């Protein structure tokens, strides 16, 4: 079954999911809390549990529509529990509401221009009302060492900013595909200058998230300069072939859960991932050495050592950045925690840092009359009756895994109406690509 378009199939749950409406004086409105209680909670009246606070609560446990996406958090947790890999935890999903979802998660700047900045208000709601309510009404370990916050995209940004201002409350933060800078003004979305966080931190992103992917590494680099210690109090993971979507975040959630609440693990493998061709005088190639542990925890190693068979061909600097020195092919070995792996890299005389991409999409006759459609974050304008086109200058290596949309939540489908598998666009060279869209979901 295709992971990227599969329907969520319910499995028997051993724990319990509750939905509670909490009235907020801070927000002057009510919010739903979607709460997962672990399997032993009902029958063990003494045991207390760590708590994970998460955002977009209505997307965490079950899909909102039959073929919709969800993190399926309870399934991930119970798979890890069945394997005896983590301790039991409570999860509190704070629902987003349509009226404020575009503004709740921004403290210092918005992802798009003219977004309201209600992050401080939302922060007060979480810290002053949600957490005290949970600690009063459920058997929790309320101290910071047992309290985590995890979010994706804007929710990841909010998680960091809230915890940075309340490190006495949150001792662990998981950032999945965080938004880093404003799309319109390139404004940093965090307090500046950033300081070394006073909590354990997990950051990840997929390498096929388009414009979301490179800024996450910029964030990682800033945190490293502030004194974060890789593989100790700070972990980063660049996931191959992963898109900016719920189903990938749900599958990747196991990593911060294993890190924050898991058993001690041993490293069992290391592999060099990513491109293996670089040019002289081009931007350095960032290598992705992925370490895997016996628990299934995966992360990108920022501390290993390289050995280059022919060092006159290329060099590797701190941060896994590889620079071409002279044309040729050489074997590169990477050593981490007693494990070794090797890969061949090729250096060519030159490679462009940017490429020109031309997309052309043929749409069905029934397409609504709109000026543009989108492939992820890439806009295509109408150029004739059933054709939309877009021309872009993109960083070489740009990758985007997504599908086309036509207006609000009107996504492309297969001809029979079933969900469309995600399309993978990769821009290594100047290229022109044509797509045919068979139908839309809102026909």
């Amino acid at each position: 079954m295709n992971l990227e378009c599969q329907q969520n199939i319910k499995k028997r749950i051993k724990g319990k999911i509750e939905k509670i409406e909490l009235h907020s004086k801070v927000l002057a409105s009510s919010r739903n809390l979607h709460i997962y209680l672990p399997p032993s909670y009902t029958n063990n009246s003494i045991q207390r549990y760590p708590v994970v606070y998460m955002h977009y609560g209505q997307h965490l446990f079950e899909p909102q529509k039959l073929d919709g996406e969800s993190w399926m958090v309870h399934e991930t947790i119970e798979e890890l529990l069945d394997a005896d890999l983590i301790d039991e935890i409570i999860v509190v999903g704070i629902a987003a509401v349509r009226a404020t979802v575009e503004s709740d998660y921004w403290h210092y700047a918005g992802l798009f221009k003219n977004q309201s900045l209600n992050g401080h208000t939302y922060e007060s709601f979480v810290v002053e009302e949600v957490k005290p309510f949970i600690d009063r009404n459920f058997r929790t370990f309320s101290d910071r060492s047992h309290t985590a916050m995890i979010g994706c995209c804007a929710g990841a940004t909010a998680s960091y900013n809230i915890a940075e201002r309340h490190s006495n409350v949150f001792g662990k933060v998981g950032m999945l595909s965080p938004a880093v800078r404003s799309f319109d003004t390139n404004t940093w979305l965090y307090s500046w200058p950033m300081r070394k966080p006073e909590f354990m931190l997990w950051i990840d992103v997929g390498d096929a998230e388009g414009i979301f992917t490179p800024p996450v590494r910029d964030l990682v680099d800033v945190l490293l300069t502030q004194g974060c210690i890789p593989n100790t109090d700070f972990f980063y993971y660049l996931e191959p072939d992963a898109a900016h979507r719920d189903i990938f975040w749900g599958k990747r959630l196991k990593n911060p859960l294993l890190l924050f609440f898991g058993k001690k693990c041993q490293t069992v493998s290391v592999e060099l991932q990513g491109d293996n061709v670089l040019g002289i005088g081009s931007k350095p190639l960032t290598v992705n050495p992925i370490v895997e542990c016996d628990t299934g925890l995966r992360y990108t190693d920022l501390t290993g050592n390289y050995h280059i068979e022919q060092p006159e061909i290329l060099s590797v600097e701190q941060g896994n950045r590889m620079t071409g020195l002279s044309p040729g092919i050489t074997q590169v070995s990477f050593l981490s925690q007693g494990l070794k792996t090797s890969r061949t890299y090729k250096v060519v005389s030159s490679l462009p840092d940017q490429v020109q991409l031309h997309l052309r999409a043929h749409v069905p006759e029934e397409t609504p009359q709109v000026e543009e459609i989108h492939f992820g974050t890439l806009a295509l304008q109408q150029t004739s009756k059933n054709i939309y086109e877009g021309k872009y200058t993109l960083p070489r290596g740009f990758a985007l895994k997504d599908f086309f949309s036509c207006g609000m939540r009107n996504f492309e489908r297969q001809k029979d109406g079933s969900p469309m598998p995600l399309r993978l666009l990769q821009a290594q060279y100047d290229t022109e690509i044509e797509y045919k869209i068979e139908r839309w979901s809102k026909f």
Side-chain angles (χ1 to χ4, degrees), residues 12-13 15 22 25 27 41-42 48 53 96 109 142 150 177 193 196 199 256 282 289 316 342 378 393 404 417 432:
R12 181 179 177 85
I13 182 173
L22 177 63
K25 292 182 180 179
L27 302 178
Y41 190 91
T42 300
R48 294 184 176 273
Y53 292 88
S142 61
I150 296 175
S177 304
K196 179 183 178 182
F199 42 78
S282 303
V316 183
S342 298
L378 301 178
T393 301
F404 285 92
E432 182 175 317

Side-chain angles (χ1 to χ4, degrees), residues 201-383:
L201 180 60
W202 170 272
I203 299 180
D204 67 32
V205 69
D207 72 358
E209 296 191 27
I211 60 177
F212 284 96
T213 301
V216 173
R217 184 53 200 258
D218 294 341
L219 175 61
V220 168
D221 289 339
V222 169
L223 291 168
L224 290 174
T225 64
Q226 299 306 313
C228 288
I229 303 174
N231 311 345
T232 300
D233 57 15
F234 168 68
F235 287 76
Y236 163 65
Y237 178 42
L238 177 63
E239 182 179 31
D241 302 320
H244 194 80
R245 307 199 67 83
D246 284 336
I247 197 164
F248 289 94
W249 296 323
K251 297 295 183 182
R252 209 155 68 226
L253 177 64
K254 71 175 185 178
N255 290 307
L257 294 181
L258 285 165
L259 178 64
F260 297 160
F261 308 106
K263 313 297 183 182
K264 189 174 181 180
C265 65
Q266 296 292 326
T267 302
V268 294
S269 69
V270 60
E271 181 181 7
L272 292 173
Q273 284 277 353
D275 197 4
N276 65 340
V277 179
L278 58 160
I280 299 171
S282 303
K283 290 176 63 175
L285 172 67
T286 302
V287 185
N288 185 23
I290 296 177
V291 167
E292 183 164 356
C293 300
D294 54 5
T295 60
L297 172 67
R298 288 166 63 88
Y299 60 90
T300 296
D301 195 331
L302 298 170
T303 64
N305 296 312
Y306 289 87
H307 173 75
I308 304 162
E309 193 172 274
Q310 294 174 272
E312 70 276 9
I313 292 178
L314 59 83
S315 63
V316 183
E317 305 301 326
Q318 189 173 9
N320 298 322
R321 289 186 170 88
M322 184 177 288
T323 301
L325 303 177
S326 62
I329 298 175
T330 185
Q331 192 86 354
V332 176
S333 299
F334 180 80
L335 181 66
S336 173
Q337 303 174 57
L339 297 173
K340 183 180 179 180
T341 187
S342 298
R343 193 179 184 197
T344 299
Y345 288 84
K346 180 179 181 180
V347 177
V348 298
S349 58
S350 66
L351 279 177
D353 289 334
Q354 294 183 321
V355 297
Q356 305 300 314
L357 177 66
H358 182 186
L359 300 186
R360 181 181 296 111
H362 299 261
V363 302
E365 290 285 343
E366 300 87 349
T367 298
Q369 291 300 308
V370 294
E371 292 184 0
E372 61 183 29
I373 62 174
H374 288 82
F375 180 71
T377 53
L378 301 178
L380 290 79
Q381 281 74 40
Q382 187 173 23
T383 56

